[in-house]
Amino acid sequence: MATDTLTSPPALGSSTAPKVYKNFIDGEWVESSTGETFENRNPADTRDVVGIFQKSAKTDVDAAVEAASRAFAKWRLVPAPRRAEIVFRAAEMLLERKEEYSRDMTREMGKILKETRGDTQEAIDTAYYFAGEGRRMFGPTTPSELPNKFAMAVRTPIGVCGMITPWNFPMAIPSWKILPAIVCGNTCVIKPAQDTPLSTFNLVRTLADAGVPHGVINIVTGFGSMVGTPLTEHPEVRAVSLTGSTAVGRIVGTTAAQSFKHCSLELGGKNPMIVLDDANLDLAIEGGIWGGFGTTGQRCTATSRIIVQKGVYAEFVERYVDRAKGLKVGNGLDESTEMGPAINEAQLKTDLSYVEIGKSEGAKMKCGGNRLDQGEYQYGYFMEPTVFVDVDPKMRIAQEEIFGPVVSIIPCEDLEDGIAIANGIEYGLSSALYTKDVNKAFVAMRDLHAGITYINAPTIGAEVHLPFGGVKATGNGHREGGMGAIDFYTEWKAVYVDYSDRLQKAQIDRID
Ligand code: UN1
């Protein structure tokens, strides 16, 4: 496709004015029907406007779905290996653009450069993985119960897929959805989170530059009620994939069910890390710091509960709190920063409200708890890394997803008690155990009720070719990453070819 139509239009006004980004529909950059826009500001410095984006509405969603529907008629007939080659090319281009896109991402999302490079890399890994899938997408051929009859099952694309993505992994998570969907022959309409749309633009622009035809991927920016809801309700949209909160997941799942859409929900987590007496404590402390405060605690997989056996509890708490206190908070564009800001004011308020909740519940706050708003912090949504200790597993701070830099440390008696605490929760995304005892490790791998279990590593760090998702209120049974994504974005068709030249009746014409 012609790349000139795909480059964002020049900035309006002076050369320093923020860039205006339009919706991307049918290969064209178009303004929203509302004529309204919203700002994307840097959460580390709100004076910095990263871009101006379209505040779209149902009419824009309808236009995007129509374009995706038209594109589907042709795209589904492009051989999967050819579709996948485009994705492979996009992977190579993303590699070249990695630094630029990672910087854009730190500016719009706040997480530190090391992590945004990881996020961009995750999209690259996903592209290479699904590019390979274009030559697989295997289905079974199997014997028929009748003579001279052939039987097989083939994967077919579903049609137009609606995608609603979060702000915490603004390129990786859209890539988990868009790339398998298009390799399988579907077309998409994506609504990126309003806090971080630029990274989705960067991903989709690269895919367009690599040769994805008009209408195969469309972006409509805006807010949940104005864009997400009509997308989820649209009868032409046959699959919906959401990564978001459990509350939104319940609404999206219920809405999608009305028109029998495929629906994949990746929702909340309150991920436990158990540290046993025999663990390598240095490793467990480093892991717990990375898992708890990486991405400012804003991962669905964040290590928000650390369950420590009583023999090492006191030492773990002391050393963990020391490390947390020493973390360098600041603007993620500074390479020496270890933890960036909260994504926005509302999230920061939520984080701070949980500090009050924890205190009122009687948990001991050992460090943090305050907003940072002086000097270099004055224009951002910063807060101190916060650690509560001696937390009762039933307290709200140990049960509810905070999505911020607030970690609860809970004492436990032994492995069995630790697993019971770990599982005593509404969610079931990720989990971890630190031990040197292989027997205990295998018990935990079996009994931790979660979609992901790590041994001697924290709860974050999933790789793209393995299933990603969780149990209980974390989702509805689907998995992203790896083969699970191919399963979600295809529908099976059973094909029978009878070459006997006579009517053969299954289940009836048999020689007993
Ligand atoms: C998320 O937690 O929202 O496993 C996604 C990880 C990342 C993806 C996290 N690869 O931590």
Side-chain angles (χ1 to χ4, degrees):
M1 88 196 303
T3 50
D4 53 348
T5 57
L6 296 163
T7 319
S8 304
L12 294 180
S14 77
S15 58
T16 53
K19 238 180 176 171
V20 178
Y21 294 85
K22 299 184 181 177
N23 285 332
F24 186 54
I25 299 178
D26 212 5
E28 304 290 336
W29 299 99
V30 290
E31 271 167 20
S32 74
S33 58
T34 65
E36 290 176 50
T37 55
F38 64 92
E39 289 174 341
N40 174 8
R41 285 182 183 262
N42 180 344
D45 181 349
T46 54
R47 294 167 302 176
D48 176 23
V49 181
V50 179
I52 309 277
F53 288 83
Q54 304 297 309
K55 192 169 172 188
S56 313
K58 182 174 181 303
T59 314
D60 308 301
V61 172
D62 289 348
V65 173
E66 205 186 304
S69 216
R70 268 196 315 272
F72 178 64
K74 289 190 186 155
W75 183 243
R76 74 184 184 92
L77 300 177
V78 175
R82 295 278 97 80
R83 297 192 295 247
E85 279 165 25
I86 301 175
V87 170
F88 187 92
R89 262 202 304 281
E92 305 275 85
M93 296 167 81
L94 280 173
L95 257 181
E96 283 165 21
R97 302 173 183 187
K98 179 172 167 182
E99 191 57 26
E100 177 196 340
Y101 288 174
S102 305
R103 286 184 173 274
D104 280 352
M105 196 188 298
T106 292
R107 249 182 95 200
E108 72 170 346
M109 193 272 163
K111 65 184 174 183
I112 62 174
L113 267 176
K114 199 200 293 179
E115 293 190 38
T116 52
R117 290 182 189 123
D119 192 316
T120 311
Q121 186 60 46
E122 195 157 339
I124 296 167
D125 297 344
T126 304
Y128 282 130
Y129 178 82
F130 288 110
E133 251 337 291
R135 284 187 185 271
R136 283 189 289 268
M137 290 175 60
F138 299 130
T141 56
T142 177
S144 162
E145 65 190 41
L146 291 161
N148 298 324
K149 191 176 169 191
F150 178 85
M152 64 179 170
V154 293
R155 291 182 181 275
T156 58
I158 305 168
V160 180
C161 303
M163 297 160 181
I164 302 173
T165 51
W167 44 260
N168 65 340
F169 275 80
M171 190 177 288
I173 292 181
S175 83
W176 294 356
K177 301 184 193 301
I178 292 172
L179 302 178
I182 65 172
V183 167
C184 291
N186 303 286
T187 56
C188 2
V189 177
I190 183 163
K191 182 202 110 47
Q194 62 267 18
D195 286 303
T196 58
L198 180 55
S199 298
T200 301
F201 276 76
N202 287 339
L203 173 67
V204 172
R205 195 177 70 188
T206 305
L207 283 156
D209 290 347
V212 173
H214 288 191
V216 171
I217 309 169
N218 305 274
I219 309 177
V220 182
T221 54
F223 296 81
S225 57
M226 288 169 77
V227 178
T229 305
L231 186 59
T232 315
E233 285 172 346
H234 201 298
E236 285 277 312
V237 172
R238 297 313 309 148
V240 169
S241 179
L242 163 82
T243 301
S245 68
T246 293
V248 172
R250 196 165 276 124
I251 297 168
V252 166
T254 309
T255 309
Q258 301 302 315
S259 46
F260 307 108
K261 294 175 180 21
H262 295 217
C263 180
S264 167
L265 305 172
E266 294 298 345
L267 311 172
K270 188 78 183 175
N271 311 288
M273 171 180 137
I274 303 173
V275 181
L276 295 184
D277 284 349
D278 74 343
N280 175 336
L281 224 52
D282 295 342
L283 196 66
I285 289 161
E286 275 319 293
I289 290 286
W290 172 231
F293 300 111
T295 327
T296 319
Q298 301 173 124
R299 295 194 190 206
C300 340
T301 50
T303 309
S304 44
R305 295 185 291 153
I306 305 185
I307 302 162
V308 186
Q309 197 172 1
K310 54 187 180 189
V312 289
Y313 186 79
E315 185 184 349
F316 183 93
V317 163
E318 196 190 323
R319 292 178 56 195
Y320 186 85
V321 168
D322 266 1
R323 275 289 280 118
K325 276 184 192 159
L327 285 173
K328 183 164 183 248
V329 180
N331 190 321
L333 289 171
D334 173 347
E335 297 274 1
S336 67
T337 300
E338 293 174 293
M339 192 180 98
I343 184 69
N344 56 33
E345 194 169 357
Q347 183 61 54
L348 180 65
K349 278 194 177 142
T350 301
D351 300 345
L352 293 168
S353 77
Y354 274 99
V355 169
E356 294 314 313
I357 291 168
K359 284 186 197 161
S360 70
E361 287 177 309
K364 271 188 230 153
M365 196 176 71
K366 285 293 248 186
C367 68
N370 298 307
R371 179 176 185 166
L372 295 165
D373 54 8
Q374 301 299 308
E376 58 169 315
Y377 298 123
Q378 61 182 312
Y379 298 109
Y381 303 118
F382 294 98
M383 131 176 210
E384 295 169 336
T386 303
V387 181
F388 280 101
V389 306
D390 299 351
V391 174
D392 182 295
K394 293 282 173 250
M395 287 177 180
R396 287 183 61 193
I397 52 165
Q399 288 284 326
E400 297 173 15
E401 185 177 49
I402 301 172
F403 229 64
V406 183
V407 171
S408 291
I409 304 186
I410 304 168
C412 77
E413 293 295 319
D414 52 21
L415 177 65
E416 200 186 338
D417 185 34
I419 290 176
I421 294 168
N423 290 345
I425 190 99
E426 178 189 10
Y427 303 107
L429 179 53
S430 190
S431 55
L433 173 73
Y434 279 78
T435 183
K436 287 189 194 135
D437 183 332
V438 69
N439 295 354
K440 290 186 171 141
F442 271 88
V443 169
M445 284 184 245
R446 184 192 61 200
D447 292 346
L448 280 170
H449 195 197
I452 306 170
T453 294
Y454 292 90
I455 302 297
N456 294 325
T459 58
I460 66 175
E463 300 179 26
V464 304
H465 50 299
L466 279 88
F468 184 93
V471 300
K472 300 191 276 185
T474 293
N476 61 346
H478 292 286
R479 292 292 182 269
E480 302 200 275
M483 285 305 295
I486 301 291
D487 288 337
F488 181 71
Y489 288 107
T490 54
E491 257 175 328
W492 285 114
K493 175 184 270 192
V495 178
Y496 302 94
V497 182
D498 191 320
Y499 54 98
S500 68
D501 245 356
R502 61 194 177 88
L503 175 64
Q504 301 198 88
K505 304 189 195 82
Q507 294 93 36
I508 293 167
D509 291 344
R510 46 180 294 144
I511 300 159
D512 290 316

